[in-house]
Amino acid sequence: MTDTASEPSSADSTVFGRGSAPVTGQQPFEGLLAGGAEDEVGKVAGTEDSTPLKFHVALSPDAYLQLDDVVSTRREIPGRGTVVTSGVVTEVVARHEGAAFGSDVFLIADGILPANVQEIAEVTTTRVDPECYVPPRPGEVAIRAAGAARDAALYFDRMDARIPAGIGRDGEPIYLNLEFLDGTRGAHVSISGISGVATKTSFALFLMHSLFTSGALGTRAVNAKALIFSVKGEDLLFVDQPNVRLDDTLRAAYTRLGLPARPFASASFYAPPLPGDTTGRPHVTGRTSGVTAFWWSLAEFCERELLPYVFADVEDEKNQYTIVVHQVTSRLRREARPAGNDGAVVIDGTTLRTWPEMIDFISSKVTDDITRADWAGPAIGMGTVNAFVRRLRSSQRALGPLLRGDLTTSSDRPVAHSIDTSQQQVTVVDLHNLPERAQRFVVGVVLAAETDRKEQAGPGGLLFTMIDELNKYAPREGSSPIKDVLLDIAERGRSLGIILIGAQQTASEVERRIVSNSSIKIVGRLDPAEAGRPEYGFLPTSQRQRATLARPGTMFISQPEIPVPLAVEFPFPAWATRLSEVAGPAFTTGTSTADQATENAARPDPFSKLPRTENDPWADDDAIDEPPY
């Protein structure tokens, strides 16, 4: 289930997660600063220090400001003219002026003690125009910015190409600058939040929908692609289907953002093959047509030097077995020869058709006294070799379905099994049925292949790569081949046209260089302990507190041009996020739950009656099929 499942189902929340009233009075910027009665909310306060970067507004008795409102004020500077200072409300406080004790509130309410209720809004500056950084003077009129004034305050007027990111609390669209997404001035997106509540996956998909349908990419949209790794069930296998909950209200929400309320029109889907099946059927249940199985033949494994990705678990860099990994990788590339058209290989006269056979062959070569020097490297001790063999054998169950040389074909051409991002605009790779080790292998190999392809193709074309649970692939500590690939993408991917959209529950556990290279930082609902970490220093104190209470569909977006993160709410997906939301599927589905239960009952486990000792070492389903070392 994607994290959209936790969104409320009321009418307002189905659209944006909350009700919001649009702001009236869309007047030109200069007109708003004239101080019309319907726009003035108060005056710059004199009881608080006013600086060029932060000032306070005392609100009029009949006016209000809420968090995230945009406020503007002006000051006449001799010789410079009018300086307009605009900002976003980051805190609002209300108090009794004239009260000294907590109990005075009752006397004030009874009219015995004179006092006034005063609200003070803290405004964090976003823009000074022209750039003459002087503090707003106490007593100057403050207005709620709207229309052109709001666009100027948030730099929307400076964005040559803008991407709708959602609706602000004032009921108007919030935009991202495409130049910080497509690599022109920056790239990469980091999305953080609690799983199931922060709607990270949903927002990442909405962002890609906005990229492809807003028209901001122009003619480049033809060559712009998206690669999505799905680890949360089969929910993303339906993004090309309209959501059954798509109604006029939801369509109107997309219209307000200038986007069509439709699913992804061009999408392809990949899933690993069914374990034990020699026909190459994809391992899916909800959607059984339109999904292609992917795997790597043993011939490709040897030729493309994929062995290091088998050891994608983060390890201590001091481990010596990595020397053996690279030595064996080089040996396989030189010695392996294709055997037939099913992906099998011949090495030293031995035909290998399955991953377990490859493991046995490599293990025998590195442990044999005669061949160890050639395969493991000279002066390599048995302790290092045994460490290599232990980790290699532990991959048997995880990678067995993905590394194949036993999938036969009736033609002279090999079965198509490679993940191809060039045919459709969106490519979804389903990984949820794979163990974590196999997931890391797939992500590492696919990203490395896409990086090589982009390097060979040269500049031109964009590939937006969405990876969930990024902390699992690029943790802060240790190193691994997949982490090296992700670091390479984060540091020079924008020059290649590869844009990383990473989602994680805790940004504090992701490699710092990946997070710091992300121009766009997005935060949903956060755990209170996580919200206090330095990685979220870009959030003002009030927004850190709000992030621990944010409801599904609310995100805080930070981008380089705007000093203050903006709160947005994005509409409910127009595409199906699970099989139950598909309206009239144009594909076949798997067996129903009842039929599946009947089938399982008719085919009992043939090993269920075998005796088992109390201390059976193979009781764990995740145990390897080979003896431990």
Side-chain angles (χ1 to χ4, degrees):
M1 181 189 307
T2 58
D3 36 21
T4 52
S6 59
E7 297 184 25
S9 57
S10 64
D12 289 339
S13 62
T14 300
V15 182
F16 291 112
R18 57 177 287 278
S20 55
V23 173
T24 59
Q26 305 292 318
Q27 302 179 27
F29 190 54
E30 294 298 330
L32 287 171
L33 289 180
E38 70 278 15
D39 302 313
E40 180 179 340
V41 292
K43 299 183 184 299
V44 177
T47 56
E48 304 284 349
D49 290 340
S50 183
T51 72
L53 302 180
K54 184 174 291 186
F55 60 96
H56 297 76
V57 174
L59 302 183
S60 303
D62 57 346
Y64 78 96
L65 282 176
Q66 64 172 330
L67 296 178
D68 306 313
D69 276 348
V70 183
V71 175
S72 293
T73 184
R74 69 178 183 179
R75 175 181 174 180
E76 296 295 334
I77 304 296
R80 297 295 299 269
T82 303
V83 174
V84 178
T85 303
S86 304
V88 173
V89 176
T90 50
E91 189 62 275
V92 184
V93 297
R95 62 186 175 187
H96 268 134
E97 292 182 335
F101 305 101
S103 59
D104 287 347
V105 66
F106 301 104
L107 299 176
I108 296 171
D110 293 338
I112 301 175
L113 182 66
N116 292 324
V117 175
Q118 183 60 61
E119 294 184 40
I120 303 288
E122 176 191 84
V123 181
T124 301
T125 301
T126 57
R127 184 172 180 179
V128 178
D129 190 22
E131 291 189 357
C132 179
Y133 286 90
V134 294
R137 279 192 168 180
E140 294 288 357
V141 172
I143 60 100
R144 178 184 284 110
R150 176 182 179 272
D151 288 349
L154 301 179
Y155 287 91
F156 295 159
D157 62 330
R158 296 280 187 92
M159 297 180 183
D160 294 332
R162 7 184 242 189
I163 305 295
I167 295 291
R169 292 188 61 82
D170 59 359
E172 297 300 316
I174 297 292
Y175 299 98
L176 295 177
N177 193 340
L178 179 63
E179 292 184 350
F180 292 103
L181 272 174
D182 65 0
T184 302
R185 298 165 61 188
H188 313 310
V189 180
S190 175
I191 309 176
S192 305
I194 299 174
S195 178
V197 180
T199 57
K200 304 182 299 294
T201 305
S202 300
F203 184 79
L205 287 172
F206 170 76
L207 182 58
M208 283 190 281
H209 173 76
S210 184
L211 277 164
F212 293 144
T213 61
S214 64
L217 288 173
T219 57
R220 292 184 300 167
V222 177
N223 294 322
K225 310 293 182 182
L227 173 61
I228 302 173
F229 294 99
S230 172
V231 295
K232 296 180 178 178
E234 297 183 8
D235 300 337
L236 299 188
L237 297 182
F238 311 105
V239 296
D240 62 335
Q241 302 295 312
N243 197 313
V244 71
R245 297 169 65 178
L246 185 62
D247 55 16
D248 292 340
T249 304
L250 184 57
R251 290 187 181 92
Y254 277 87
T255 300
R256 289 169 67 186
L257 292 169
L259 301 174
R262 67 172 187 236
F264 292 90
S266 174
S268 58
F269 305 94
Y270 292 87
L274 195 64
D277 183 80
T278 58
T279 61
R281 290 183 299 170
H283 190 187
V284 291
T285 56
R287 176 173 185 162
T288 57
S289 68
V291 182
T292 304
F294 69 88
W295 69 88
W296 288 267
S297 68
L298 295 182
E300 291 174 321
F301 179 84
C302 298
E303 179 184 358
R304 294 172 53 185
E305 301 183 345
L306 302 184
L307 182 62
Y309 297 99
V310 174
F311 302 85
D313 304 65
V314 175
E315 298 285 354
D316 188 345
E317 294 179 352
K318 297 179 181 179
N319 282 330
Q320 298 298 315
Y321 79 89
T322 55
I323 300 175
V324 183
V325 173
H326 295 294
Q327 182 73 14
V328 173
T329 300
S330 178
R331 192 79 183 184
L332 290 174
R333 181 180 58 81
R334 294 196 308 266
E335 302 291 338
R337 298 291 181 269
N341 60 359
D342 54 3
V345 294
V346 175
I347 308 176
D348 287 349
T350 303
T351 301
L352 306 175
R353 296 191 177 277
T354 64
W355 178 237
E357 291 176 359
M358 176 71 80
I359 291 176
D360 290 338
F361 177 83
I362 295 175
S363 299
S364 66
K365 290 294 184 181
V366 297
T367 55
D368 188 272
D369 292 337
I370 299 176
T371 58
R372 183 167 69 246
D374 292 334
W375 281 81
I380 297 296
M382 281 304 299
T384 301
V385 170
N386 287 337
F388 166 79
V389 171
R390 281 198 305 270
R391 289 164 174 79
L392 180 65
R393 288 192 178 278
S394 67
S395 71
Q396 177 172 312
R397 174 166 295 180
L399 298 182
L402 297 177
L403 300 174
R404 313 289 290 266
D406 59 344
L407 294 177
T408 59
T409 175
S410 58
S411 65
D412 294 333
R413 301 175 60 186
V415 178
H417 59 273
S418 299
I419 296 174
D420 185 5
T421 61
S422 63
Q423 299 302 313
Q424 304 290 339
Q425 191 168 55
V426 176
T427 301
V428 178
V429 181
D430 178 37
L431 304 177
H432 84 281
N433 278 322
L434 293 176
E436 284 194 10
R437 184 166 185 175
Q439 292 180 9
R440 285 191 289 266
F441 176 84
V442 173
V443 172
V445 171
V446 173
L447 288 182
E450 290 297 325
T451 302
D452 291 341
R453 183 181 65 82
K454 295 290 287 184
E455 285 180 334
Q456 295 173 7
L462 294 171
L463 178 65
F464 297 93
T465 304
M466 174 186 152
I467 302 179
D468 202 357
E469 299 183 19
L470 186 61
N471 54 294
K472 182 170 64 177
Y473 305 108
R476 177 147 298 186
E477 305 298 334
S479 69
S480 69
I482 181 175
K483 183 176 177 179
D484 293 340
V485 171
L486 289 170
L487 271 172
D488 186 41
I489 292 175
E491 294 176 342
R492 69 184 187 98
R494 73 187 187 100
S495 63
L496 300 174
I498 302 179
I499 311 302
L500 179 64
I501 302 177
Q504 60 278 325
Q505 296 185 41
T506 52
S508 61
E509 296 181 1
V510 178
E511 167 62 42
R512 288 185 181 90
R513 286 177 289 173
I514 293 179
V515 176
S516 62
N517 276 288
S518 298
S519 297
I520 309 296
K521 295 180 176 64
I522 301 170
V523 171
R525 176 78 170 267
L526 287 177
D527 177 82
E530 177 70 9
R533 296 189 178 274
E535 286 73 18
Y536 304 95
F538 61 91
L539 291 174
T541 302
S542 62
Q543 289 193 357
R544 287 199 187 201
Q545 296 173 349
R546 290 169 61 196
T548 63
L549 305 172
R551 60 188 298 172
T554 299
M555 315 296 285
F556 299 93
I557 299 179
S558 172
Q559 54 183 318
E561 281 183 322
I562 306 176
V564 182
L566 303 179
V568 304
E569 294 176 347
F570 63 99
F572 192 81
W575 47 90
T577 61
R578 60 184 65 87
L579 181 58
S580 61
E581 291 180 350
V582 177
F587 52 84
T588 59
T589 58
T591 15
S592 65
T593 305
D595 293 341
Q596 204 169 29
T598 304
E599 181 181 353
N600 291 338
R603 299 173 58 187
D605 181 9
F607 303 103
S608 60
K609 295 184 179 181
L610 290 178
R612 175 171 290 180
T613 62
E614 293 181 358
N615 298 322
D616 188 356
W618 310 116
D620 186 3
D621 288 338
D622 293 328
I624 59 176
D625 292 337
E626 296 291 333
Y629 284 78

